[in-house]
Amino acid sequence: EAAVGGDEVIRKRLLIDGDGAGDDRRINLLVKSFIKWCNSGSQEEGYSQYQRMLSTLSQCEFSMGKTLLVYDMNLREMENYEKIYKEIECSIAGAHEKIAECKKQILQAKRIRKNRQEYDALAKVIQHHPDRHETLKELEALGKELEHLSHIKESVEDKLELRRKQFHVLLSTIHELQQTLENDEKLSEVEEAQGTSMETDPKP
């Protein structure tokens, strides 16, 4: 049923334009003119058909030339489009390369920024501490102070040792003095006892 419908459409188109359209129509007219020219009965009719054939041939040649021009133009357009396409591909590739390079630069900039932040933080920490020269001066001063204190300690220890010896001598002297006093006291008691004894004894 669909095929019958398609044939009907073709038949109607042929009825509307029995000779076809465009180049097909010109070829059909040229064939008809050639047949009429072959079957022409008089010279005038033959000449008329001949002129029609020449006119139809000119139209066909013109149409063919126009078609060739359009074809050449289409070829040039295709070449131009291919060129533009290649340029676009090159531009896209270049854009990808630039994007990749920009990504590298961004990563490098991030690393530089991170290093700079770490450097600033370290610089702030260093600023809170004295520099090496000041530290060496302080260490030198502390060394001198320790040496001075060591001398003082030795002097104090020597004085303590001297005082200990002097105290020992003093104790010995006190002990000897005490012993002497005790001996003197005992001697006095003996002498006193002897004196008393002599006073109490009768004379002969």
Side-chain angles (χ1 to χ4, degrees), residues 89-102:
E89 283 187 337
C90 292
S91 299
I92 292 173
H96 284 302
E97 291 179 357
K98 289 182 179 179
I99 291 171
E101 184 65 25
C102 288

Side-chain angles (χ1 to χ4, degrees), residues 2-178:
V4 173
D7 293 339
E8 184 66 21
V9 171
I10 294 172
R11 188 178 66 80
K12 287 182 178 180
R13 289 185 63 184
L14 290 174
L15 287 175
I16 293 172
D17 189 5
D19 293 330
D23 295 336
D24 293 336
R25 181 173 180 277
R26 294 189 187 92
I27 292 172
N28 290 331
L29 290 175
L30 181 62
V31 171
K32 288 181 180 180
S33 297
F34 179 74
I35 293 172
K36 287 182 180 180
W37 178 72
C38 291
N39 295 326
S40 58
S42 62
Q43 187 176 358
E44 293 180 358
E45 185 179 358
Y47 181 75
S48 176
Q49 294 299 328
Y50 177 73
Q51 292 297 324
R52 287 180 182 178
M53 284 192 296
L54 291 177
S55 176
T56 304
L57 282 173
S58 297
Q59 291 178 2
C60 289
E61 289 177 354
F62 177 77
S63 177
M64 181 177 174
K66 186 173 69 174
T67 302
L68 289 174
L69 289 175
V70 172
Y71 176 74
D72 291 337
M73 184 182 66
N74 289 334
L75 287 178
R76 286 193 296 271
E77 287 294 326
M78 288 180 64
E79 291 176 355
N80 189 31
Y81 288 148
E82 288 180 357
K83 182 179 179 181
I84 294 173
Y85 178 74
K86 289 180 180 179
E87 290 177 354
I88 292 173
E89 283 187 337
C90 292
S91 299
I92 292 173
H96 284 302
E97 291 179 357
K98 289 182 179 179
I99 291 171
E101 184 65 25
C102 288
K103 287 181 178 179
K104 291 181 180 179
Q105 293 178 358
I106 290 172
L107 291 175
Q108 185 177 3
K110 287 182 178 179
R111 285 195 295 269
I112 293 173
R113 182 181 179 185
K114 183 179 178 182
N115 293 335
R116 185 173 298 171
Q117 290 176 348
E118 292 177 353
Y119 172 79
D120 292 338
L122 184 60
K124 290 179 180 179
V125 172
I126 292 173
Q127 286 178 356
H128 291 293
H129 293 79
D131 59 6
R132 184 172 180 270
H133 180 69
E134 292 295 330
T135 303
L136 290 176
K137 287 177 65 177
E138 291 179 1
L139 289 174
E140 185 178 357
L142 289 173
K144 291 180 179 179
E145 185 176 357
L146 286 174
E147 185 178 358
H148 178 66
L149 292 174
S150 178
H151 291 321
I152 293 174
K153 179 183 176 184
E154 291 178 358
S155 177
V156 170
E157 288 178 350
D158 292 339
K159 288 181 180 180
L160 287 174
E161 182 66 22
L162 179 61
R163 295 292 185 271
R164 188 181 64 80
K165 290 180 180 180
Q166 290 175 350
F167 184 70
H168 179 71
V169 171
L170 179 61
L171 287 177
S172 298
T173 304
I174 292 172
H175 181 71
E176 291 177 357
L177 180 60
Q178 186 179 4

